[in-house]
Amino acid sequence: MVPQHIAIIMDGNGRWAKKRGLPKILGHRQGVESVKKIVRACVDFGVKYLTVYAFSTENWQRPKDEVSALFKLLTNFIDMQTKLFHDNNVRVRIIGERGRLDPAVKSRIEQLEKDTASYDKLTLNIALSYGSRQEIVGAVKTLASEAKEGKIEPSGIDENVFSKYLYTNDSPDPDLLIRTSGEMRLSNFLLWQLSYAEIYVTEKLWPDFGKKDLKKAIDEYQKRERRFGK
Ligand code: IPE
Ligand code: IPE
Ligand code: MG
């Protein structure tokens, strides 16, 4: 079966640029091309949900120039790819700390979410200023205040209820996690949601990752036996 939900840690843009003696930002720019290819490939393969890690809460610690260049690329991507989403019936959702985003970026994102809300071929979740621990703490805070106000009974909180308080509340858990560039870590990505995901790490750097590589990852996934502890 094709995985219903694929999550990707898009890593290696910096190394891709370095290998070529190019400025890092050109690696990020090439990375955007991979995103476009992979969105189309997911539509072709019948994947229903794609969650991509674009910018972590920790990435705010990068040089200011890099951060602003990354957000510029993102806003360009949103402006230029509206057609990609409309033509392919793709619903876009942003997950992460919206409050930390520049108001102009935030309003563009919200417009895009509104414009694509009714599409149902593929849901594309873009993790932006996203950190899993921060997401979990945020959920706990909301639950605690709702309990205090008497809106929810502590005894009524279970895994299902808790999941509804996460940013990913309208997507099922990922079946397959892909990380490019050979790093074997989660880097604070979807800690709760990845509990039983199959993990696939490739040496390919994100700007070099294309449809064939995605196919390879899906083929590998299909060979795995998922036991869920049983
Ligand atoms: C991934 O590429 C993109 C972001 C984290 C925004 P990196 O910039 O982390 O690339 P490397 O890891 O330095 O090669
Ligand atoms: C993870 O990559 C975040 C994104 C891909 C957006 P990083 O390059 O920031 O992660 P570390 O520093 O290697 O753990
Ligand atoms: Mg990296």
Side-chain angles (χ1 to χ4, degrees):
M1 244 177 36
V2 170
Q4 187 187 18
H5 185 174
I6 298 180
I8 306 182
I9 303 177
M10 314 185 285
D11 200 10
N13 296 351
R15 277 161 282 172
W16 185 92
K18 200 170 174 197
K19 251 176 52 184
R20 289 164 177 75
L22 297 171
K24 198 168 183 190
I25 188 63
L26 290 187
H28 293 313
R29 190 180 295 170
Q30 203 55 40
V32 175
E33 297 307 311
S34 293
V35 176
K36 293 186 215 164
K37 283 184 210 154
I38 295 308
V39 168
R40 281 196 209 97
C42 282
V43 170
D44 288 350
F45 294 148
V47 173
K48 299 303 289 179
Y49 297 86
L50 171 67
T51 301
V52 294
Y53 206 4
F55 192 86
S56 71
T57 47
E58 290 74 26
N59 289 150
W60 286 111
Q61 296 165 58
R62 292 198 180 193
K64 241 185 163 166
D65 285 358
E66 187 183 349
V67 172
S68 58
L70 274 167
F71 277 95
K72 211 181 211 164
L73 275 176
L74 177 92
T75 31
N76 268 344
F77 173 69
I78 289 175
D79 292 347
M80 306 304 292
Q81 296 315 310
T82 319
K83 196 167 152 35
L84 172 80
F85 305 134
H86 290 289
D87 291 352
N88 289 286
N89 203 354
V90 177
R91 175 171 74 129
V92 184
R93 302 258 309 137
I94 305 292
I95 59 171
E97 303 168 299
R98 285 177 194 236
R100 267 179 100 168
L101 302 178
D102 179 272
V105 173
K106 197 170 157 248
S107 68
R108 248 139 137 171
I109 282 169
E110 282 165 2
Q111 191 59 47
L112 179 67
E113 287 180 327
K114 239 186 258 161
D115 293 346
T116 61
S118 65
Y119 295 153
D120 59 4
K121 180 91 183 145
L122 172 73
T123 292
L124 171 65
N125 295 312
I126 304 175
L128 199 62
S129 188
Y130 174 88
S132 190
R133 287 188 164 189
Q134 176 272 335
E135 174 185 40
I136 290 168
V137 170
V140 170
K141 276 189 180 157
T142 309
L143 272 165
S145 40
E146 288 187 7
K148 203 171 159 191
E149 288 162 26
K151 287 189 194 152
I152 189 163
E153 277 299 316
S155 59
I157 302 169
D158 59 15
E159 290 180 15
N160 256 337
V161 170
F162 189 77
S163 297
K164 296 289 168 234
Y165 286 77
L166 299 172
Y167 296 131
T168 48
N169 55 18
D170 63 352
S171 300
D173 286 343
D175 303 293
L176 171 64
L177 169 72
I178 298 172
R179 183 161 187 159
T180 57
S181 85
E183 307 293 355
M184 307 235 188
R185 53 175 171 266
L186 293 178
S187 302
N188 203 12
F189 189 45
L190 304 175
L191 302 180
W192 169 279
Q193 297 88 338
L194 291 172
S195 290
Y196 264 104
E198 294 297 325
I199 300 175
Y200 177 88
V201 175
T202 169
E203 291 296 325
K204 277 260 169 127
L205 303 174
W206 177 250
D208 290 327
F209 190 88
K211 187 172 182 177
K212 272 195 199 137
D213 303 294
L214 182 68
K215 177 77 172 56
K216 242 174 104 179
I218 293 175
D219 287 347
E220 162 80 27
Y221 166 86
Q222 288 171 332
K223 287 188 207 135
R224 305 264 181 100
E225 188 197 344
R226 302 185 79 190
R227 287 189 286 273
F228 298 100
K230 286 175 208 145

PDB file of all heavy atoms in Angstrom, residues 10-16 24 28 54-55 59 62 66 70 181, ligand 1:
ATOM      1  N   MET A  10      13.548  17.873   5.351  1.00  0.00           N
ATOM      2  CA  MET A  10      14.247  18.277   4.118  1.00  0.00           C
ATOM      3  C   MET A  10      15.597  18.864   4.508  1.00  0.00           C
ATOM      4  O   MET A  10      15.711  20.063   4.748  1.00  0.00           O
ATOM      5  CB  MET A  10      13.419  19.327   3.383  1.00  0.00           C
ATOM      6  CG  MET A  10      11.930  18.978   3.261  1.00  0.00           C
ATOM      7  SD  MET A  10      11.028  20.166   2.262  1.00  0.00           S
ATOM      8  CE  MET A  10      10.883  21.591   3.351  1.00  0.00           C
ATOM      9  N   ASP A  11      16.610  18.019   4.564  1.00  0.00           N
ATOM     10  CA  ASP A  11      17.896  18.482   5.084  1.00  0.00           C
ATOM     11  C   ASP A  11      18.996  18.377   4.023  1.00  0.00           C
ATOM     12  O   ASP A  11      18.935  17.528   3.138  1.00  0.00           O
ATOM     13  CB  ASP A  11      18.260  17.641   6.321  1.00  0.00           C
ATOM     14  CG  ASP A  11      19.286  18.334   7.207  1.00  0.00           C
ATOM     15  OD1 ASP A  11      19.578  19.523   6.988  1.00  0.00           O
ATOM     16  OD2 ASP A  11      19.800  17.670   8.123  1.00  0.00           O
ATOM     17  N   GLY A  12      19.986  19.251   4.141  1.00  0.00           N
ATOM     18  CA  GLY A  12      21.173  19.160   3.289  1.00  0.00           C
ATOM     19  C   GLY A  12      21.316  20.279   2.265  1.00  0.00           C
ATOM     20  O   GLY A  12      22.198  20.210   1.411  1.00  0.00           O
ATOM     21  N   ASN A  13      20.483  21.298   2.364  1.00  0.00           N
ATOM     22  CA  ASN A  13      20.590  22.422   1.412  1.00  0.00           C
ATOM     23  C   ASN A  13      21.943  23.116   1.505  1.00  0.00           C
ATOM     24  O   ASN A  13      22.540  23.482   0.491  1.00  0.00           O
ATOM     25  CB  ASN A  13      19.510  23.472   1.686  1.00  0.00           C
ATOM     26  CG  ASN A  13      18.109  22.946   1.472  1.00  0.00           C
ATOM     27  OD1 ASN A  13      17.930  21.830   0.962  1.00  0.00           O
ATOM     28  ND2 ASN A  13      17.104  23.724   1.858  1.00  0.00           N
ATOM     29  N   GLY A  14      22.418  23.292   2.743  1.00  0.00           N
ATOM     30  CA  GLY A  14      23.690  23.981   2.956  1.00  0.00           C
ATOM     31  C   GLY A  14      24.839  23.187   2.349  1.00  0.00           C
ATOM     32  O   GLY A  14      25.695  23.747   1.651  1.00  0.00           O
ATOM     33  N   ARG A  15      24.857  21.875   2.595  1.00  0.00           N
ATOM     34  CA  ARG A  15      25.931  21.032   2.071  1.00  0.00           C
ATOM     35  C   ARG A  15      25.891  20.967   0.548  1.00  0.00           C
ATOM     36  O   ARG A  15      26.920  20.928  -0.117  1.00  0.00           O
ATOM     37  CB  ARG A  15      25.845  19.632   2.679  1.00  0.00           C
ATOM     38  CG  ARG A  15      26.508  19.545   4.046  1.00  0.00           C
ATOM     39  CD  ARG A  15      26.058  18.352   4.826  1.00  0.00           C
ATOM     40  NE  ARG A  15      24.736  18.587   5.415  1.00  0.00           N
ATOM     41  CZ  ARG A  15      24.033  17.647   6.021  1.00  0.00           C
ATOM     42  NH1 ARG A  15      24.509  16.415   6.101  1.00  0.00           N
ATOM     43  NH2 ARG A  15      22.862  17.940   6.550  1.00  0.00           N
ATOM     44  N   TRP A  16      24.691  20.982  -0.001  1.00  0.00           N
ATOM     45  CA  TRP A  16      24.537  20.966  -1.466  1.00  0.00           C
ATOM     46  C   TRP A  16      25.222  22.193  -2.070  1.00  0.00           C
ATOM     47  O   TRP A  16      25.957  22.084  -3.054  1.00  0.00           O
ATOM     48  CB  TRP A  16      23.049  20.955  -1.819  1.00  0.00           C
ATOM     49  CG  TRP A  16      22.747  20.821  -3.281  1.00  0.00           C
ATOM     50  CD1 TRP A  16      22.529  19.660  -3.970  1.00  0.00           C
ATOM     51  CD2 TRP A  16      22.599  21.894  -4.231  1.00  0.00           C
ATOM     52  NE1 TRP A  16      22.263  19.931  -5.289  1.00  0.00           N
ATOM     53  CE2 TRP A  16      22.304  21.294  -5.481  1.00  0.00           C
ATOM     54  CE3 TRP A  16      22.695  23.287  -4.155  1.00  0.00           C
ATOM     55  CZ2 TRP A  16      22.090  22.046  -6.636  1.00  0.00           C
ATOM     56  CZ3 TRP A  16      22.495  24.038  -5.309  1.00  0.00           C
ATOM     57  CH2 TRP A  16      22.193  23.413  -6.544  1.00  0.00           C
ATOM     58  N   LYS A  24      24.947  29.612   0.503  1.00  0.00           N
ATOM     59  CA  LYS A  24      23.982  28.689   1.098  1.00  0.00           C
ATOM     60  C   LYS A  24      22.561  28.901   0.569  1.00  0.00           C
ATOM     61  O   LYS A  24      21.808  27.951   0.359  1.00  0.00           O
ATOM     62  CB  LYS A  24      24.008  28.882   2.614  1.00  0.00           C
ATOM     63  CG  LYS A  24      23.407  27.714   3.361  1.00  0.00           C
ATOM     64  CD  LYS A  24      23.701  27.786   4.839  1.00  0.00           C
ATOM     65  CE  LYS A  24      23.130  26.545   5.510  1.00  0.00           C
ATOM     66  NZ  LYS A  24      23.149  26.628   6.961  1.00  0.00           N
ATOM     67  N   HIS A  28      19.121  26.583  -0.612  1.00  0.00           N
ATOM     68  CA  HIS A  28      17.710  26.677  -0.186  1.00  0.00           C
ATOM     69  C   HIS A  28      16.808  26.885  -1.405  1.00  0.00           C
ATOM     70  O   HIS A  28      15.722  26.317  -1.495  1.00  0.00           O
ATOM     71  CB  HIS A  28      17.525  27.833   0.799  1.00  0.00           C
ATOM     72  CG  HIS A  28      18.208  27.615   2.123  1.00  0.00           C
ATOM     73  ND1 HIS A  28      18.105  26.431   2.808  1.00  0.00           N
ATOM     74  CD2 HIS A  28      18.993  28.424   2.891  1.00  0.00           C
ATOM     75  CE1 HIS A  28      18.794  26.511   3.949  1.00  0.00           C
ATOM     76  NE2 HIS A  28      19.347  27.714   4.011  1.00  0.00           N
ATOM     77  N   ALA A  54      10.064  22.695   7.139  1.00  0.00           N
ATOM     78  CA  ALA A  54      10.685  23.791   6.389  1.00  0.00           C
ATOM     79  C   ALA A  54      11.552  24.685   7.273  1.00  0.00           C
ATOM     80  O   ALA A  54      12.561  25.228   6.824  1.00  0.00           O
ATOM     81  CB  ALA A  54       9.605  24.630   5.712  1.00  0.00           C
ATOM     82  N   PHE A  55      11.122  24.855   8.543  1.00  0.00           N
ATOM     83  CA  PHE A  55      11.858  25.766   9.435  1.00  0.00           C
ATOM     84  C   PHE A  55      11.518  25.404  10.876  1.00  0.00           C
ATOM     85  O   PHE A  55      10.348  25.403  11.263  1.00  0.00           O
ATOM     86  CB  PHE A  55      11.439  27.208   9.127  1.00  0.00           C
ATOM     87  CG  PHE A  55      12.305  28.256   9.765  1.00  0.00           C
ATOM     88  CD1 PHE A  55      13.471  28.690   9.134  1.00  0.00           C
ATOM     89  CD2 PHE A  55      11.973  28.808  10.997  1.00  0.00           C
ATOM     90  CE1 PHE A  55      14.272  29.659   9.717  1.00  0.00           C
ATOM     91  CE2 PHE A  55      12.766  29.776  11.589  1.00  0.00           C
ATOM     92  CZ  PHE A  55      13.926  30.202  10.947  1.00  0.00           C
ATOM     93  N   ASN A  59      15.770  26.804  14.247  1.00  0.00           N
ATOM     94  CA  ASN A  59      16.375  27.491  13.100  1.00  0.00           C
ATOM     95  C   ASN A  59      16.364  29.020  13.239  1.00  0.00           C
ATOM     96  O   ASN A  59      17.081  29.717  12.515  1.00  0.00           O
ATOM     97  CB  ASN A  59      15.691  27.086  11.780  1.00  0.00           C
ATOM     98  CG  ASN A  59      15.979  25.666  11.333  1.00  0.00           C
ATOM     99  OD1 ASN A  59      15.159  25.021  10.679  1.00  0.00           O
ATOM    100  ND2 ASN A  59      17.149  25.138  11.670  1.00  0.00           N
ATOM    101  N   ARG A  62      19.715  30.723  13.508  1.00  0.00           N
ATOM    102  CA  ARG A  62      20.643  30.862  12.373  1.00  0.00           C
ATOM    103  C   ARG A  62      20.909  32.351  12.097  1.00  0.00           C
ATOM    104  O   ARG A  62      20.163  33.212  12.558  1.00  0.00           O
ATOM    105  CB  ARG A  62      20.037  30.196  11.141  1.00  0.00           C
ATOM    106  CG  ARG A  62      19.966  28.689  11.323  1.00  0.00           C
ATOM    107  CD  ARG A  62      19.789  27.993  10.012  1.00  0.00           C
ATOM    108  NE  ARG A  62      19.733  26.554  10.220  1.00  0.00           N
ATOM    109  CZ  ARG A  62      19.837  25.663   9.249  1.00  0.00           C
ATOM    110  NH1 ARG A  62      19.991  26.054   8.005  1.00  0.00           N
ATOM    111  NH2 ARG A  62      19.784  24.369   9.517  1.00  0.00           N
ATOM    112  N   GLU A  66      20.277  34.604   6.764  1.00  0.00           N
ATOM    113  CA  GLU A  66      19.767  33.321   6.274  1.00  0.00           C
ATOM    114  C   GLU A  66      18.273  33.197   6.582  1.00  0.00           C
ATOM    115  O   GLU A  66      17.488  32.770   5.730  1.00  0.00           O
ATOM    116  CB  GLU A  66      20.542  32.157   6.906  1.00  0.00           C
ATOM    117  CG  GLU A  66      20.136  30.815   6.276  1.00  0.00           C
ATOM    118  CD  GLU A  66      20.808  29.593   6.903  1.00  0.00           C
ATOM    119  OE1 GLU A  66      21.758  29.752   7.704  1.00  0.00           O
ATOM    120  OE2 GLU A  66      20.374  28.471   6.577  1.00  0.00           O
ATOM    121  N   LEU A  70      15.338  32.825   3.865  1.00  0.00           N
ATOM    122  CA  LEU A  70      14.454  31.655   3.870  1.00  0.00           C
ATOM    123  C   LEU A  70      12.983  32.064   3.810  1.00  0.00           C
ATOM    124  O   LEU A  70      12.191  31.481   3.068  1.00  0.00           O
ATOM    125  CB  LEU A  70      14.700  30.817   5.130  1.00  0.00           C
ATOM    126  CG  LEU A  70      15.823  29.788   5.035  1.00  0.00           C
ATOM    127  CD1 LEU A  70      16.175  29.248   6.415  1.00  0.00           C
ATOM    128  CD2 LEU A  70      15.428  28.643   4.106  1.00  0.00           C
ATOM    129  N   SER A 181      20.018  13.644   3.472  1.00  0.00           N
ATOM    130  CA  SER A 181      21.378  14.061   3.833  1.00  0.00           C
ATOM    131  C   SER A 181      22.031  13.185   4.897  1.00  0.00           C
ATOM    132  O   SER A 181      23.054  13.578   5.464  1.00  0.00           O
ATOM    133  CB  SER A 181      21.435  15.542   4.227  1.00  0.00           C
ATOM    134  OG  SER A 181      21.123  15.732   5.584  1.00  0.00           O
TER     135      SER A 181
HETATM  136  C1  IPE B   1      17.768  22.245   5.497  1.00  0.00           C
HETATM  137  O1  IPE B   1      19.041  22.509   5.027  1.00  0.00           O
HETATM  138  C2  IPE B   1      16.860  23.440   5.409  1.00  0.00           C
HETATM  139  C3  IPE B   1      16.632  24.124   6.686  1.00  0.00           C
HETATM  140  C4  IPE B   1      16.970  23.692   7.861  1.00  0.00           C
HETATM  141  C5  IPE B   1      15.915  25.377   6.607  1.00  0.00           C
HETATM  142  P1  IPE B   1      20.211  22.976   5.967  1.00  0.00           P
HETATM  143  O2  IPE B   1      20.369  24.454   5.845  1.00  0.00           O
HETATM  144  O3  IPE B   1      20.061  22.459   7.334  1.00  0.00           O
HETATM  145  O4  IPE B   1      21.441  22.248   5.244  1.00  0.00           O
HETATM  146  P2  IPE B   1      22.716  21.600   5.910  1.00  0.00           P
HETATM  147  O5  IPE B   1      22.265  20.657   6.959  1.00  0.00           O
HETATM  148  O6  IPE B   1      23.513  22.730   6.459  1.00  0.00           O
HETATM  149  O7  IPE B   1      23.411  20.898   4.781  1.00  0.00           O
END
